[in-house]
Amino acid sequence: MNPEGQGPTRRDLLAHSPDRGDGAAASRGLSCSACDALMIDHAYGETGDDDRVAVARHLATCSTCALAFCRLKADLDGVLEATVMAPPGALRRRIRAEVAKSFGPRWTTRLLDLWRRPVPAYGVVFASLIPVMIWVAATFRPATEAVSVEVSRDSRPPALIDYDSMVPLLPEDLPI
Amino acid sequence: MSTDHSRCADEELVRILRGGDLTAFDVLYDRYDRRLFGYVRRLIKDPCAAEDLFQEIFVTVLRDRTYEPDRGRFAAWLFMVARNRCLAELRQRRTREGLAEEVRARWQPKAPPSPERAVGDASRVQAAMSALPDGQRQLILLKQIGELTYREIATLLGVAEGTIKSRLHAATVAFRRLLSEGSPET
């Protein structure tokens, strides 16, 4: 027994003579009874490094102990399978809302996240806005007004340059 | 901003959540919802009360700033709070219902087990677990569902680690015996 009175120590177990199982297992340093004593700890993942290796070696060579270990694991896994249960989906939303009240991002963080948004996200937003902009431009364009030029009565025609009325007309220009 | 936190440790997720990133909550919830809800349902039979308690435990644990991620595992903290809250709830219920109700229930003939309960491994396991004494059932649930270490359970219950080891051995043996024999409830 160990000093705390918690069962046999590893040295005790290793020194234990094999009372069942084959000789190969014993030659590895762990007897079947020693393996049996460590089996529950091994199934719970609570063996130390040395014991874990020793039990694993023994289980690899002793079919009796390997079978017993498989049954133990199956029973313990059965506890997990029979107990776990999915909560209703609405419960998740309720809890999330409660947690968001305490840990939700502040408006400054949200603004910063918006600023840090990757460039392609802006591209998508811009592309989706193009048809809207075209529609707005087409709908609200000002109507084209008829061009009307008012000529005031006192306006004069532009003066002709290099015109001389004294120049004689050419024959073809003379009136018939 | 969506970040993949699925590979983060629980303690890291708590830190991230405290920083305001709610995606860390989603990962934590997905990791523990089935186990914690199953644990609570196993202890509190009333489904509505179990749902309320589950919500309360989760919110309490995540809001509680006294938990320091550097000082201990999140799972141990979560299941410690869950166990304490469930036991408190059970105590309140017992007080409310009173002794008279208990006596009346004891003298009422038990309903025959339903056919669904009599078949299937899950019902056999549940029956065996129900037949275990409270202390042993708690130990197995904390170990298997909470995945707590011997040391963490010892800290939680305030006893020596070696005591937990021997008690858990005894509980496991008793559970397996009930499983193989078929518990008296079925």
mmCIF file of all heavy atoms in Angstrom, chain B residues 2 30 39 47 55 85 104 112 126 143 146 153 161 181 185:
data_model
loop_
_atom_site.group_PDB
_atom_site.id
_atom_site.type_symbol
_atom_site.label_atom_id
_atom_site.label_comp_id
_atom_site.label_asym_id
_atom_site.label_seq_id
_atom_site.Cartn_x
_atom_site.Cartn_y
_atom_site.Cartn_z
ATOM 1 N N SER B 2 -15.714 37.921 -38.712
ATOM 2 C CA SER B 2 -15.810 36.532 -38.308
ATOM 3 C C SER B 2 -14.416 35.928 -38.260
ATOM 4 O O SER B 2 -13.651 36.017 -39.203
ATOM 5 C CB SER B 2 -16.698 35.773 -39.296
ATOM 6 O OG SER B 2 -16.085 35.759 -40.553
ATOM 7 N N ASP B 30 -21.185 25.559 -28.320
ATOM 8 C CA ASP B 30 -21.211 24.305 -29.077
ATOM 9 C C ASP B 30 -20.410 23.207 -28.378
ATOM 10 O O ASP B 30 -20.712 22.029 -28.510
ATOM 11 C CB ASP B 30 -20.658 24.533 -30.492
ATOM 12 C CG ASP B 30 -21.631 25.325 -31.341
ATOM 13 O OD1 ASP B 30 -22.833 25.333 -31.004
ATOM 14 O OD2 ASP B 30 -21.195 25.956 -32.321
ATOM 15 N N TYR B 39 -26.119 16.968 -18.128
ATOM 16 C CA TYR B 39 -25.760 16.901 -16.705
ATOM 17 C C TYR B 39 -26.880 17.502 -15.848
ATOM 18 O O TYR B 39 -27.312 16.899 -14.853
ATOM 19 C CB TYR B 39 -24.452 17.657 -16.492
ATOM 20 C CG TYR B 39 -23.962 17.704 -15.062
ATOM 21 C CD1 TYR B 39 -23.337 16.603 -14.487
ATOM 22 C CD2 TYR B 39 -24.125 18.842 -14.289
ATOM 23 C CE1 TYR B 39 -22.890 16.644 -13.173
ATOM 24 C CE2 TYR B 39 -23.684 18.882 -12.983
ATOM 25 C CZ TYR B 39 -23.064 17.787 -12.430
ATOM 26 O OH TYR B 39 -22.634 17.826 -11.134
ATOM 27 N N PRO B 47 -38.083 19.197 -16.843
ATOM 28 C CA PRO B 47 -37.411 19.778 -18.027
ATOM 29 C C PRO B 47 -37.422 21.304 -18.053
ATOM 30 O O PRO B 47 -36.431 21.914 -18.446
ATOM 31 C CB PRO B 47 -38.195 19.192 -19.212
ATOM 32 C CG PRO B 47 -39.370 18.505 -18.653
ATOM 33 C CD PRO B 47 -39.205 18.322 -17.190
ATOM 34 N N GLN B 55 -29.666 27.819 -18.515
ATOM 35 C CA GLN B 55 -29.438 29.199 -18.957
ATOM 36 C C GLN B 55 -28.747 30.007 -17.862
ATOM 37 O O GLN B 55 -27.774 30.724 -18.121
ATOM 38 C CB GLN B 55 -30.778 29.849 -19.315
ATOM 39 C CG GLN B 55 -30.623 31.318 -19.703
ATOM 40 C CD GLN B 55 -31.946 31.948 -20.106
ATOM 41 O OE1 GLN B 55 -32.934 31.250 -20.254
ATOM 42 N NE2 GLN B 55 -31.958 33.238 -20.277
ATOM 43 N N ARG B 85 -25.277 24.837 -8.270
ATOM 44 C CA ARG B 85 -26.610 25.379 -8.551
ATOM 45 C C ARG B 85 -27.666 24.274 -8.554
ATOM 46 O O ARG B 85 -28.779 24.473 -8.069
ATOM 47 C CB ARG B 85 -26.613 26.108 -9.913
ATOM 48 C CG ARG B 85 -25.977 27.450 -9.892
ATOM 49 C CD ARG B 85 -26.734 28.447 -8.994
ATOM 50 N NE ARG B 85 -28.092 28.657 -9.435
ATOM 51 C CZ ARG B 85 -29.177 28.400 -8.709
ATOM 52 N NH1 ARG B 85 -29.061 27.933 -7.479
ATOM 53 N NH2 ARG B 85 -30.379 28.611 -9.186
ATOM 54 N N ARG B 104 -46.084 10.556 0.777
ATOM 55 C CA ARG B 104 -47.184 10.156 -0.099
ATOM 56 C C ARG B 104 -46.640 9.436 -1.340
ATOM 57 O O ARG B 104 -47.158 8.410 -1.769
ATOM 58 C CB ARG B 104 -47.982 11.396 -0.524
ATOM 59 C CG ARG B 104 -49.354 11.066 -1.100
ATOM 60 C CD ARG B 104 -50.084 12.324 -1.515
ATOM 61 N NE ARG B 104 -50.098 13.332 -0.479
ATOM 62 C CZ ARG B 104 -49.915 14.628 -0.690
ATOM 63 N NH1 ARG B 104 -49.667 15.071 -1.892
ATOM 64 N NH2 ARG B 104 -49.954 15.487 0.296
ATOM 65 N N PRO B 112 -45.651 0.922 -13.715
ATOM 66 C CA PRO B 112 -44.819 -0.075 -14.385
ATOM 67 C C PRO B 112 -43.898 0.594 -15.390
ATOM 68 O O PRO B 112 -44.285 1.591 -16.008
ATOM 69 C CB PRO B 112 -45.844 -0.974 -15.096
ATOM 70 C CG PRO B 112 -47.070 -0.136 -15.217
ATOM 71 C CD PRO B 112 -47.067 0.788 -14.055
ATOM 72 N N GLN B 126 -29.195 4.432 -18.079
ATOM 73 C CA GLN B 126 -29.903 5.424 -17.266
ATOM 74 C C GLN B 126 -30.471 4.788 -16.006
ATOM 75 O O GLN B 126 -30.426 5.376 -14.923
ATOM 76 C CB GLN B 126 -31.028 6.061 -18.081
ATOM 77 C CG GLN B 126 -30.509 7.104 -19.045
ATOM 78 C CD GLN B 126 -31.575 7.669 -19.940
ATOM 79 O OE1 GLN B 126 -32.748 7.350 -19.786
ATOM 80 N NE2 GLN B 126 -31.168 8.489 -20.887
ATOM 81 N N LYS B 143 -16.899 13.008 -13.779
ATOM 82 C CA LYS B 143 -15.739 12.455 -14.491
ATOM 83 C C LYS B 143 -16.040 12.256 -15.974
ATOM 84 O O LYS B 143 -15.244 12.644 -16.824
ATOM 85 C CB LYS B 143 -15.352 11.113 -13.844
ATOM 86 C CG LYS B 143 -14.088 10.510 -14.392
ATOM 87 C CD LYS B 143 -12.892 11.357 -14.019
ATOM 88 C CE LYS B 143 -11.715 11.008 -14.898
ATOM 89 N NZ LYS B 143 -10.706 12.037 -14.945
ATOM 90 N N GLY B 146 -18.390 15.880 -17.229
ATOM 91 C CA GLY B 146 -17.614 17.101 -17.052
ATOM 92 C C GLY B 146 -16.167 16.953 -17.479
ATOM 93 O O GLY B 146 -15.490 17.941 -17.698
ATOM 94 N N ILE B 153 -11.874 17.273 -9.267
ATOM 95 C CA ILE B 153 -13.029 16.803 -8.481
ATOM 96 C C ILE B 153 -12.716 16.918 -6.992
ATOM 97 O O ILE B 153 -13.575 17.303 -6.193
ATOM 98 C CB ILE B 153 -13.384 15.348 -8.854
ATOM 99 C CG1 ILE B 153 -13.773 15.259 -10.329
ATOM 100 C CG2 ILE B 153 -14.538 14.844 -7.998
ATOM 101 C CD1 ILE B 153 -14.019 13.846 -10.825
ATOM 102 N N GLU B 161 -7.244 13.876 -3.108
ATOM 103 C CA GLU B 161 -7.303 13.287 -4.446
ATOM 104 C C GLU B 161 -7.398 11.759 -4.373
ATOM 105 O O GLU B 161 -8.121 11.131 -5.159
ATOM 106 C CB GLU B 161 -6.050 13.710 -5.222
ATOM 107 C CG GLU B 161 -6.117 13.418 -6.687
ATOM 108 C CD GLU B 161 -4.863 13.886 -7.419
ATOM 109 O OE1 GLU B 161 -4.183 14.818 -6.924
ATOM 110 O OE2 GLU B 161 -4.569 13.323 -8.469
ATOM 111 N N GLU B 181 -26.373 -6.579 -13.906
ATOM 112 C CA GLU B 181 -27.480 -7.290 -13.248
ATOM 113 C C GLU B 181 -28.826 -6.801 -13.765
ATOM 114 O O GLU B 181 -29.808 -7.530 -13.727
ATOM 115 C CB GLU B 181 -27.426 -7.042 -11.732
ATOM 116 C CG GLU B 181 -26.291 -7.768 -11.048
ATOM 117 C CD GLU B 181 -26.144 -7.333 -9.594
ATOM 118 O OE1 GLU B 181 -26.884 -6.416 -9.179
ATOM 119 O OE2 GLU B 181 -25.287 -7.903 -8.908
ATOM 120 N N GLU B 185 -34.892 -0.818 -10.841
ATOM 121 C CA GLU B 185 -35.985 0.023 -11.357
ATOM 122 C C GLU B 185 -36.592 -0.510 -12.638
ATOM 123 O O GLU B 185 -37.707 -0.185 -12.978
ATOM 124 C CB GLU B 185 -35.463 1.435 -11.622
ATOM 125 C CG GLU B 185 -35.286 2.227 -10.351
ATOM 126 C CD GLU B 185 -35.074 3.679 -10.657
ATOM 127 O OE1 GLU B 185 -35.232 4.075 -11.805
ATOM 128 O OE2 GLU B 185 -34.733 4.409 -9.711
#
